[in-house]
C-alpha cells in the first residue's frame, strides 16, 4: 500500500469516529505518522464526587444539579476544596463532616439541634462545622486577634430584668370634672362662689339670678296652686284631676330649671313671687375655671364654672416605645416626690393609653391614687418607678455584641482556633445592664464576640463578595466529544505542514 492510500484510509477512519459521537479519543495514523496528535484532558478531581450548591445560599448542597429550593436559581457545581461557597482547610469526604446544627432554608435565624420542620413547614437543612449558614467563616491568627482587641462573652440563659424609671404628672380625674351652667337666661344679681380654686360642696349656693322666665313660672305655679285648691272638692272628678295635673306641671317646670325644693316650698307657703332665684351646686370640688361676674347677663346653656373633685387623682407617666413590652396593666408602681419629706406612694397601673403622643413619642400610663389631704396637686411632677415582671429562662447577650444593619441583626460566634462564624439572629426586649434577649439564632453556652466585631464583619462581607464574584466551575464536558484542533501551522513547530490538498491527488 502506498503512502497516499495509507493517509486516505486514516482520514476516513478519523471522520467516521467523529461522526459516531465518541467522548474522548486519541487519534493515531495507521502508520507511525500522527495526523492529529491530541489527547483529551484528564480532570484533576475526577475521582472526587461532584456536588452542587446555590450561589446566593451557599448552605444549600445537593448531590445532583437542579434548582435552589429558596430562590429558584440554577445550582452550580462546587469547586474542588470548597463546600457550599465557604472555604475550608481541607476537602473532607461527605461521610466525615459533622453537623453543627439545623437551619430553616427560608430563615437562617431559625436553628435547632435536631432535624425537623421550620415554621413554614419546610425541612430543616444541615449546617456543617466547616460552613456557615450566612456569610463565610473567617480565620484570624492569634497575634492579629490580640492586636484587634477582640473580647468574647457566653450566651447565657437566665431571668431578664428591667426596672423602668420615668417622670409622672399629677392630673385631674377626668371622671370627676364637672361643668356648671344655667338652664334659663337672666342677669346675675349676686355671685356666692366668686374665686378660682374655691372649694365647693354639693348643695352650696352658687349665684342669684333674675330671670323674667322664672318670674312667670312662679306666677303660673301660684295660679295653678290656687286653682287646684278651689277645684279639689268639685263634683266632677275630671275637673279636679285636671287642676292637679296643671299644678304638677308648673312645679316640674321650676324643678327642671334647677329651682330647689326648698325654694318651691317657700313659694307655696308664702304665695309671693320672688324677683331672684338661687342656683345651687350639684357637685363637690374646687373651682378650676370661672367665666362669669356679678351683673353679667347669661344665656341658657352658657358655661359658668368648672369644678374638679381632687379627692382622687391620676398620675400620668410617660413610657418610651421600646419600653412598652415591659408594661402591663395591674403592675405595681412606686411614686416618689423630688422634694420635701413626703412619703412614697404605692399603686398599680390602671390603664395604658392606646396612642402615642406625637411630640414626645411616648405612651402615657395611668396610675390612680386617693388624695385625702390634697397633698397631690394637679400638674405636679413626680418620679415613677415601675416594677416589671422578669422574663424567665431567656437567652441573653450583651447589647454591644449585636451589629445592626437595616433589618438584619448579626453576631459573630467563636468556633475556636481563630475561626469566627457570622450568624443572623432575632432579638427581643432589652433588659438592665445592657443585656438583650435573643429569640432565634443562638444556643445557650455559645461564645460570641463583644468587641471589634465591625472589623470581623468587614472581613466576612469582603470574603463573601469575592466568593460571589468567582465564576463557578462549569459542569464536566467529558461526556461531549472534544473538538478537533487544527493541525499545527507553520511557525508553531518549526516544520512545514503537508498540504492536505496533495493527499487527495
Amino acid at each position: 500500500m502506498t503512502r497516499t492510500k495509507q493517509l486516505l484510509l486514516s482520514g476516513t477512519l478519523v471522520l467516521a469516529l467523529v461522526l459516531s459521537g465518541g467522548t474522548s479519543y486519541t487519534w493515531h495514523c495507521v502508520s507511525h505518522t500522527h495526523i492529529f496528535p491530541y489527547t483529551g484532558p484528564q480532570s484533576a478531581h475526577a475521582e472526587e464526587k461532584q456536588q452542587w450548591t446555590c450561589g446566593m445560599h451557599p448552605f444549600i448542597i445537593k448531590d445532583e444539579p437542579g434548582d435552589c429550593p429558596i430562590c429558584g436559581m440554577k445550582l452550580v457545581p462546587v469547586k474542588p476544596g470548597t463546600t457550599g461557597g465557604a472555604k475550608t482547610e481541607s476537602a473532607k469526604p461527605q461521610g466525615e463532616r459533622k453537623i453543627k446544627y439545623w437551619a430553616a432554608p427560608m430563615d437562617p435565624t431559625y436553628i435547632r439541634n435536631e432535624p425537623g420542620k421550620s415554621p413554614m413547614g419546610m425541612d430543616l437543612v444541615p449546617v456543617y462545622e466547616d460552613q456557615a449558614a450566612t456569610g463565610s467563616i473567617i480565620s484570624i491568627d492569634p497575634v492579629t486577634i490580640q492586636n484587634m482587641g477582640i473580647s468574647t462573652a457566653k450566651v447565657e440563659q437566665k431571668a431578664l430584668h428591667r426596672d423602668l424609671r420615668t417622670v409622672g404628672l399629677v392630673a385631674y380625674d377626668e371622671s370627676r370634672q364637672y361643668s356648671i351652667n344655667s338652664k334659663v337666661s337672666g342677669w346675675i344679681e349676686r355671685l356666692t362662689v366668686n374665686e378660682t380654686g374655691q372649694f365647693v360642696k354639693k348643695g352650696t349656693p352658687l349665684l342669684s339670678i333674675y330671670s323674667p322666665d322664672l318670674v312667670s313660672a312662679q306666677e303660673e305655679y301660684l295660679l295653678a296652686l290656687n286653682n287646684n285648691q278651689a277645684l279639689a272638692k268639685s263634683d266632677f272628678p275630671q275637673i279636679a284631676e285636671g287642676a292637679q295635673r296643671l299644678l304638677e306641671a308648673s312645679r316640674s317646670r321650676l324643678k327642671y330649671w334647677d329651682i330647689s325644693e326648698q325654694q318651691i316650698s317657700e313659694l307655696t307657703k308664702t304665695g309671693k313671687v320672688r324677683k331672684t332665684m338661687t342656683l345651687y351646686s350639684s357637685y363637690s370640688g374646687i373651682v378650676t375655671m370661672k367665666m362669669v361676674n356679678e351683673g353679667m347677663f347669661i344665656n341658657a346653656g352658657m358655661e359658668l364654672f368648672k369644678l374638679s373633685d381632687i379627692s382622687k387623682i391620676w398620675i400620668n407617666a410617660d413610657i418610651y416605645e421600646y419600653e412598652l413590652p415591659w408594661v402591663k396593666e395591674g403592675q405595681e408602681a412606686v411614686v416618689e416626690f423630688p422634694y420635701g419629706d413626703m412619703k412614697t406612694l404605692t399603686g398599680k397601673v390602671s390603664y395604658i393609653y392606646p396612642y402615642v403622643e406625637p411630640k414626645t413619642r411616648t405612651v402615657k400610663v395611668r396610675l390612680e391614687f386617693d388624695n385625702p389631704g390634697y397633698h397631690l396637686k394637679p400638674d405636679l411632677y413626680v418620679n415613677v418607678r415601675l416594677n416589671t415582671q422578669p422574663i424567665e429562662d431567656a437567652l441573653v447577650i450583651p447589647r454591644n455584641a449585636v451589629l445592626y444593619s437595616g433589618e438584619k441583626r448579626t453576631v459573630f460566634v467563636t468556633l475556636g482556633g481563630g475561626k469566627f462564624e457570622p450568624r443572623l439572629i432575632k432579638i427581643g426586649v432589652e433588659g438592665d445592664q445592657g443585656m438583650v434577649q435573643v429569640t432565634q439564632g443562638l444556643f445557650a453556652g455559645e461564645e460570641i464576640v463583644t468587641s471589634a466585631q465591625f472589623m470581623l464583619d468587614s472581613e466576612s462581607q469582603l470574603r463573601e463578595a469575592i466568593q460571589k464574584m468567582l465564576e463557578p466551575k462549569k459542569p464536566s464536558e467529558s461526556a461531549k466529544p472534544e473538538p478537533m484542533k487544527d493541525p499545527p501551522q507553520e511557525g508553531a513547530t518549526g516544520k512545514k505542514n503537508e498540504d492536505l490538498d496533495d493527499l487527495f491527488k
Side-chain angles (χ1 to χ4, degrees):
M1 183 181 295
T2 63
R3 177 178 176 81
T4 302
K5 292 182 178 180
Q6 290 179 355
L7 294 176
L8 288 174
L9 181 60
S10 299
T12 304
L13 290 175
V14 170
L15 181 61
L17 288 174
V18 172
L19 294 178
S20 65
T23 57
S24 178
Y25 302 95
T26 301
W27 293 298
H28 297 277
C29 182
V30 175
S31 67
H32 296 287
T33 305
H34 301 286
I35 301 299
F36 299 103
Y38 176 79
T39 302
Q42 300 296 325
S43 175
H45 302 277
E47 298 181 358
E48 184 176 338
K49 185 177 180 181
Q50 180 65 58
Q51 292 182 321
W52 305 77
T53 184
C54 175
M56 297 298 295
H57 303 90
F59 54 87
I60 299 297
I61 300 176
K62 299 284 187 179
D63 292 333
E64 57 186 11
D67 296 332
C68 176
I70 299 177
C71 61
M73 294 179 60
K74 291 291 184 182
L75 299 181
V76 297
V78 179
K79 292 186 176 183
T82 63
T83 303
K87 190 174 182 179
T88 57
E89 294 180 355
S90 60
K92 298 181 181 179
Q94 183 71 17
E96 298 181 7
R97 301 176 69 195
K98 185 177 180 181
I99 296 176
K100 184 166 48 177
Y101 54 81
W102 300 75
M106 298 296 292
D107 185 6
T109 65
Y110 186 84
I111 60 176
R112 291 293 182 268
N113 285 322
E114 57 186 6
K117 297 284 187 179
S118 69
M120 300 181 66
M122 302 178 65
D123 292 331
L124 301 181
V125 297
V127 178
Y128 298 94
E129 288 186 343
D130 56 355
Q131 70 176 108
T134 57
S136 303
I137 295 178
I138 59 177
S139 299
I140 303 177
D141 61 272
V143 177
T144 305
I145 292 176
Q146 185 175 4
N147 293 335
M148 292 172 64
I150 294 178
S151 59
T152 61
K154 286 189 176 295
V155 181
E156 299 179 339
Q157 188 168 10
K158 63 180 182 179
L160 187 63
H161 300 266
R162 186 177 181 90
D163 287 336
L164 300 181
R165 297 184 64 89
T166 182
V167 176
L169 186 67
V170 179
Y172 295 102
D173 186 341
E174 295 178 1
S175 63
R176 295 171 179 265
Q177 288 184 304
Y178 314 105
S179 177
I180 306 299
N181 54 66
S182 173
K183 297 180 176 62
V184 63
S185 300
W187 286 263
I188 298 176
E189 294 287 334
R190 181 170 179 269
L191 272 178
T192 307
V193 176
N194 200 16
E195 297 177 3
T196 302
Q198 182 177 348
F199 281 91
V200 176
K201 292 184 179 180
K202 185 177 182 180
T204 300
L206 298 174
L207 55 87
S208 297
I209 183 174
Y210 162 68
S211 172
D213 293 334
L214 285 177
V215 173
S216 300
Q218 292 180 74
E219 292 174 347
E220 291 175 3
Y221 175 74
L222 292 177
L223 289 174
L225 179 62
N226 295 333
N227 187 47
N228 181 63
Q229 291 175 355
L231 300 176
K233 297 180 180 180
S234 175
D235 295 336
F236 300 95
Q238 294 84 356
I239 296 177
E241 291 177 2
Q244 181 65 32
R245 287 197 300 269
L246 181 61
L247 177 61
E248 292 297 332
S250 301
R251 185 184 183 92
S252 298
R253 187 181 183 187
L254 290 173
K255 292 178 64 176
Y256 291 158
W257 280 343
D258 291 338
I259 303 304
S260 64
E261 286 287 347
Q262 182 181 359
Q263 295 181 90
I264 296 175
S265 299
E266 184 179 354
L267 179 62
T268 303
K269 183 179 180 180
T270 61
K272 293 182 179 181
V273 176
R274 295 180 55 183
K275 176 186 177 182
T276 61
M277 301 295 287
T278 303
L279 300 182
Y280 294 86
S281 176
S282 302
Y283 312 99
S284 297
I286 61 172
V287 179
T288 57
M289 188 176 294
K290 181 177 78 75
M291 285 78 74
V292 292
N293 297 305
E294 289 187 0
M296 185 176 178
F297 176 80
I298 60 175
N299 291 311
M302 177 180 174
E303 189 175 31
L304 309 179
F305 303 97
K306 282 187 177 180
L307 299 183
S308 299
D309 183 5
I310 61 172
S311 60
K312 191 172 184 178
I313 54 88
W314 291 352
I315 294 180
N316 294 325
D318 291 328
I319 302 297
Y320 288 104
E321 300 173 38
Y322 65 89
E323 297 174 332
L324 283 177
W326 291 98
V327 182
K328 301 289 186 297
E329 291 187 6
Q331 284 181 342
E332 185 180 271
V334 178
V335 177
E336 301 172 346
F337 298 90
Y339 58 89
D341 55 352
M342 296 181 64
K343 296 181 180 179
T344 59
L345 300 177
T346 302
K348 292 184 178 181
V349 176
S350 61
Y351 187 68
I352 302 174
Y353 285 81
Y355 56 84
V356 177
E357 293 289 340
K359 294 183 179 179
T360 60
R361 305 306 304 168
T362 57
V363 176
K364 290 191 179 299
V365 174
R366 182 197 301 167
L367 314 174
E368 298 182 6
F369 294 93
D370 293 328
N371 190 25
Y374 304 117
H375 298 296
L376 295 173
K377 297 173 175 52
D379 296 327
L380 178 70
Y381 281 104
V382 294
N383 296 325
V384 178
R385 185 175 71 250
L386 297 177
N387 298 325
T388 61
Q389 295 294 327
I391 301 176
E392 302 293 340
D393 297 329
L395 284 179
V396 296
I397 61 174
R399 187 179 185 276
N400 56 5
V402 184
L403 289 175
Y404 296 84
S405 57
E407 297 181 354
K408 295 182 180 181
R409 306 289 184 266
T410 308
V411 296
F412 282 86
V413 181
T414 61
L415 305 178
K419 296 182 179 180
F420 302 91
E421 174 196 356
R423 193 179 299 176
L424 293 178
I425 65 171
K426 290 183 178 180
I427 62 175
V429 296
E430 185 175 348
D432 291 331
Q433 300 177 353
M435 305 301 288
V436 66
Q437 178 190 18
V438 178
T439 57
Q440 286 185 192
L442 290 174
F443 296 106
E446 288 187 307
E447 195 169 356
I448 59 174
V449 177
T450 58
S451 64
Q453 61 268 42
F454 290 98
M455 290 183 282
L456 296 178
D457 184 53
S458 301
E459 178 71 14
S460 175
Q461 292 185 14
L462 179 61
R463 294 194 182 189
E464 184 178 2
I466 294 176
Q467 186 65 38
K468 289 180 179 180
M469 288 189 295
L470 294 177
E471 182 180 2
K473 182 180 179 181
K474 296 181 180 180
S476 175
E477 298 181 356
S478 59
K480 299 180 181 180
E482 293 290 340
M484 292 186 301
K485 291 186 177 181
D486 295 332
Q489 301 295 326
E490 185 178 1
T493 59
K495 299 179 180 180
K496 184 176 180 180
N497 297 324
E498 297 182 9
D499 190 357
L500 293 180
D501 295 335
D502 295 337
L503 299 177
F504 298 94
K505 291 181 180 180

